[in-house]
Amino acid sequence: MSQHLILPILVPLGTAILLLLLRFIPLARLVVIAIAAVSILGVNISLLSSIYKQGIQTYQLGGWPAPFGIVLVGDLLSGIMMVLGSIIALCALFYSFGYLKEEGQQAIFHPLFFFLWTGTNGTFLTGDIFNLFVMFEIMLMSIYSLLTLLGDKKQIEAGLKLISMGLLSSAIFLAAVGGIYALTGTLNMADLAIKIKPHADHPLVSAVAMLFIGVFGLKAAMIPLHFWLPDVHSSAPTPISAMLSGILIKVGIYAIIRVFCLIFVDLQATFQTFFLTLACITMFMGALGAVAQTDLKRLLAYSSVSQIGYILMGVGFFTVAGMGAALFYIISHGIIKASLFLAAGILKKMRSTTEMSEHGDMIQHSRMFTIFFFIGVISLGGIPPSSGFFMKFQLLKAGLDGAFYIPVVVAFTVSLITLFYLFQSWQKICLSKQKDLPQTLPSFKLLAPVGVLAILSLALGLAASPISELTQAASQQLFSPELYIKAVMGSM
Amino acid sequence: MNSLIFKSITKLVSPILMLFSVYLLLRGHQLPGGGFIAGLMTSAGLVLIYLAYGAERFDWRNRNRFFYYLFSGGLALSFLTGLAGLFMGGYFLKSGFAHVHMPLINEDWEFASAAIFDIGVYLVVCGVCVSLMTLLGEEE
């Protein structure tokens, strides 16, 4: 029992409410945002370190003991995801001050942003399947409004797609939760894990598992459920694109991992081929989609689909090494993709478009931009010494160790395609000669977060061994669900 | 809408709606009811007035700001109730209650902290519903 565990939800929630109340006092809002954002990151890091030292921690909301009340559970997986989310959110938040010029936009953007942060932290912490649904809704509600905030035509269209996707997935999620509740009579995930054991052969269990894959796959944009992603990620305001691609699609993956490593442990073998097939298709089709794009933000969005395939492949191995590699991939890809999206936003600010043919010769205008963008490209492409090399290396090694040869071959081929489209885009934007185009230099406020994330991804490559130790430990914890169950249910 | 029947019925129905919503609000933490449903019911009464008597009834200075603070204040109230639980009971959202003897009517009344949480929810729902209605009804 630790009071610490409630803070990642309380602080952003309180901040969001405070920001609503301080709407007409811009300076006070600035101070609140600065203090809150840094302290959330601090809280999450210290939480991760205490989980690493002391094992899984739990917190009972309202003092109601599990399985009757809602319980928050912090294990290494949730700790890692929360720290990653906070780093990306902090950079996106800083970026938003340079990106949203109007005071009125900021007054709406920031409270919503903190509600989004509440939702993501809550999703990672909750140990109750229905509460997971609630946290998803908090996240989605904020995203709907943040996406359509600037109100241009494309964003409204994307918003419509996202809302229909969200409503559909919420309905299916509820149906799945209803099904599992009918079978076991509990919603607490640890309790579910115990009570579902005797029913492992019941047809309802695999049906519910399939529904969960559908819902979370829709969130994670796994092909064939990726149709909403390219529009949404490319037309969102850039700080939100970074959040969406950096952390929010990983929420879907997180939920898949959580459900399949805790509740449906017995179904892992049954669904393995299914996962790996989907992963291969997602990787390949996403990369093909990215090659065809002429717009940088759409290219990055398709590339996110493709990278989700890699992560799904790591999860689909269902081995300790594979899961650890997938977690490392999540961290590394989140940071790189956020940095690349923020870089694309700079282009958008300069010429109000992200069409690659409209840009060129950035190396003459901004050396820093070119370097940061290059770091992002080599990282995502998987060239050492960037973190991207280690993420792909670990994943492929885990695949070879587990004798999954076909997925490894597909992954290797796709990484060549990835390298191709990334270098092509970098070459078009930074090197190709363009004459007499109006240029405004990117401001410090926009360039700094891109730089921080790019350097972080390099640092992650240099510090790959401690980080992968951490992810391996997290993965070992995931494959011994009895630890989680014991932490929640006590000595039962 | 300028219909005498609608206006007279509104005059009759909306006070009942609002009174009943307060009843639902106060019993909500023990029995069916609660802040959300009560807030919706109050807003329904307000919407009826808005439709029957026109936007002028809601046309006072700083109206939008008033409703804005109504719902953000309600959110803050609910949040603070949760925090109070954390500091006084040891858990976030921990609720407490007390029985207070009412002198004149000579009865024991129960006061629960959950009721304060519900009032916060009530304010949020009322504020949001009325804001939506007046903002959508505004002329560009």
Side-chain angles (χ1 to χ4, degrees):
Chain A
M1 181 58 53
S2 132
Q3 295 290 352
H4 200 150
L5 214 51
I6 187 76
L7 288 178
I9 297 177
L10 273 194
V11 180
L13 183 61
T15 312
I17 295 170
L18 202 59
L19 289 177
L20 281 178
L21 291 172
L22 293 176
R23 175 168 185 176
F24 300 101
I25 318 170
L27 196 65
R29 264 194 289 120
L30 198 64
V31 176
V32 170
I33 290 171
I35 295 174
V38 174
S39 60
I40 297 170
L41 179 62
V43 162
N44 286 349
I45 289 177
S46 73
L47 188 61
L48 178 60
S49 81
S50 78
I51 294 172
Y52 188 67
K53 279 183 206 125
Q54 296 158 18
I56 299 175
Q57 305 187 0
T58 59
Y59 183 86
Q60 293 154 354
L61 280 173
W64 301 101
F68 309 109
I70 291 170
V71 57
L72 301 181
V73 189
D75 66 351
L76 278 175
L77 172 65
S78 32
I80 291 172
M81 295 298 282
M82 281 199 303
V83 171
L84 172 68
S86 308
I87 291 171
I88 294 170
L90 195 64
C91 291
L93 200 59
F94 188 83
Y95 190 88
S96 73
F97 284 102
Y99 193 79
L100 300 169
K101 282 286 179 280
E102 282 171 45
E103 176 49 41
Q105 288 174 352
Q106 291 190 5
I108 308 172
F109 180 88
H110 289 133
L112 283 170
F113 191 88
F114 276 93
F115 278 123
L116 174 64
W117 210 341
T118 314
T120 42
N121 278 346
T123 310
F124 296 140
L125 275 181
T126 185
D128 183 286
I129 197 105
F130 189 77
N131 202 233
L132 186 70
F133 171 78
V134 174
M135 291 301 176
F136 267 177
E137 288 300 302
I138 294 179
M139 225 162 58
L140 281 174
M141 291 290 163
S142 333
I143 280 289
Y144 297 153
S145 349
L146 283 168
L147 178 63
T148 49
L149 184 68
L150 304 179
D152 79 36
K153 230 179 189 172
K154 266 190 172 169
Q155 290 176 348
I156 304 286
E157 187 201 328
L160 211 59
K161 278 184 187 159
L162 186 64
I163 288 181
S164 7
M165 182 285 285
L167 287 180
L168 183 72
S169 75
S170 301
I172 303 174
F173 195 171
L174 267 189
V177 170
I180 208 166
Y181 186 73
L183 196 65
T184 59
T186 179
L187 291 172
N188 181 300
M189 289 201 256
D191 198 26
L192 265 177
I194 300 172
K195 294 216 170 121
I196 213 159
K197 277 259 151 57
H199 302 287
D201 300 330
H202 200 287
L204 196 55
V205 175
S206 3
V208 166
M210 203 57 220
L211 283 180
F212 276 138
I213 294 180
V215 174
F216 302 142
L218 199 59
K219 295 238 156 56
M222 161 177 107
I223 282 179
L225 303 169
H226 70 295
F227 51 87
W228 59 276
L229 183 139
D231 278 347
V232 171
H233 284 213
S234 64
S235 59
T238 300
I240 298 308
S241 302
M243 280 296 277
L244 280 167
S245 259
I247 192 74
L248 291 180
I249 48 172
K250 271 77 163 195
V251 168
I253 296 283
Y254 163 84
I256 288 180
I257 296 177
R258 178 63 83 218
V259 165
F260 273 89
C261 286
L262 185 62
I263 302 175
F264 303 122
V265 182
D266 300 333
L267 293 180
Q268 281 177 0
T270 322
F271 278 95
Q272 184 166 52
T273 324
F274 181 70
F275 269 130
L276 288 177
T277 316
L278 275 183
C280 290
I281 298 174
T282 306
M283 264 187 282
F284 194 65
M285 298 305 282
L288 282 193
V291 171
Q293 300 308 314
T294 56
D295 181 304
L296 181 60
K297 265 181 125 179
R298 285 187 78 84
L299 181 143
L300 292 175
Y302 271 103
S303 143
S304 286
V305 175
S306 158
Q307 303 293 315
I308 280 295
Y310 280 93
I311 299 171
L312 206 61
M313 181 177 97
V315 175
F317 292 156
F318 286 119
T319 59
V320 174
M323 190 66 79
L327 293 182
F328 190 85
Y329 209 105
I330 289 178
I331 302 174
S332 167
H333 173 253
I335 288 173
I336 300 165
K337 197 40 90 47
S339 144
L340 284 174
F341 260 112
L342 294 181
I346 292 179
L347 296 179
K348 173 111 180 161
K349 270 281 151 194
M350 286 171 72
R351 276 186 220 142
S352 63
T353 174
T354 47
E355 267 314 311
M356 286 187 283
S357 54
E358 297 286 315
H359 292 275
D361 223 4
M362 276 301 283
I363 196 160
Q364 295 297 329
H365 300 289
S366 171
R367 286 270 157 78
M368 290 314 263
F369 176 87
T370 311
I371 293 171
F372 294 151
F373 194 33
F374 185 70
I375 294 176
V377 166
I378 61 165
S379 294
L380 203 56
I383 297 174
S386 63
S387 61
F389 169 70
F390 294 99
M391 71 183 186
K392 291 216 162 85
F393 176 74
Q394 286 187 7
L395 199 63
L396 296 186
K397 185 165 179 297
L400 289 178
D401 288 348
F404 300 101
Y405 297 116
I406 298 173
V408 168
V409 170
V410 175
F412 190 74
T413 320
V414 171
S415 70
L416 292 181
I417 306 179
T418 311
L419 212 54
F420 164 69
Y421 65 71
L422 283 171
F423 265 106
Q424 199 190 27
S425 69
W426 181 73
Q427 186 266 337
K428 270 186 196 159
I429 287 166
C430 296
L431 300 183
S432 73
K433 289 279 176 267
Q434 287 268 2
K435 276 174 289 174
D436 55 75
L437 283 160
Q439 294 287 355
T440 44
L441 289 180
S443 70
F444 169 75
K445 271 185 198 165
L446 296 181
L447 211 46
V450 182
V452 168
L453 287 172
I455 290 166
L456 211 58
S457 99
L458 271 190
L460 200 60
L462 297 176
S465 105
I467 300 290
S468 52
E469 255 170 47
L470 182 67
T471 54
Q472 290 297 331
S475 144
Q476 249 150 23
Q477 210 172 53
L478 282 170
F479 281 100
S480 27
E482 61 279 357
L483 291 175
Y484 186 101
I485 296 170
K486 191 159 175 271
V488 177
M489 307 294 289
S491 52
M492 267 174 77
Chain B
M1 207 181 303
N2 200 8
S3 140
L4 186 63
I5 303 174
F6 188 42
K7 278 185 180 171
S8 328
I9 290 188
T10 301
K11 216 176 245 177
L12 203 70
V13 168
S14 68
I16 299 176
L17 268 179
M18 289 189 202
L19 270 180
F20 188 63
S21 77
V22 173
Y23 169 70
L24 279 182
L25 171 64
L26 293 179
R27 80 207 281 257
H29 54 283
Q30 299 283 22
L31 297 160
F36 185 75
I37 194 77
L40 279 182
M41 206 169 259
T42 306
S43 323
L46 291 172
V47 169
L48 272 183
I49 297 175
Y50 187 88
L51 288 178
Y53 293 93
E56 304 86 61
R57 285 291 165 112
F58 286 82
D59 200 19
W60 64 81
R61 261 183 71 229
N62 289 338
R63 176 200 60 202
N64 290 344
R65 202 172 274 209
F66 172 76
F67 286 115
Y68 177 82
Y69 279 118
L70 198 66
F71 77 73
S72 26
L75 208 53
L77 185 65
S78 294
F79 182 70
L80 289 178
T81 320
L83 271 194
L86 179 63
F87 288 117
M88 289 156 74
Y91 296 96
F92 184 60
L93 285 176
K94 171 105 184 157
S95 62
F97 62 92
H99 287 277
V100 178
H101 190 75
M102 286 288 159
L104 283 177
I105 46 178
N106 204 22
E107 266 181 41
D108 265 351
W109 281 21
E110 189 194 270
F111 288 89
S113 66
I116 305 175
F117 184 87
D118 261 350
I119 291 171
V121 175
Y122 174 81
L123 293 180
V124 173
V125 176
C126 279
V128 169
C129 282
V130 180
S131 297
L132 277 181
M133 177 184 78
T134 53
L135 286 174
L136 287 177
E138 252 174 17
E139 283 173 33
E140 282 289 312

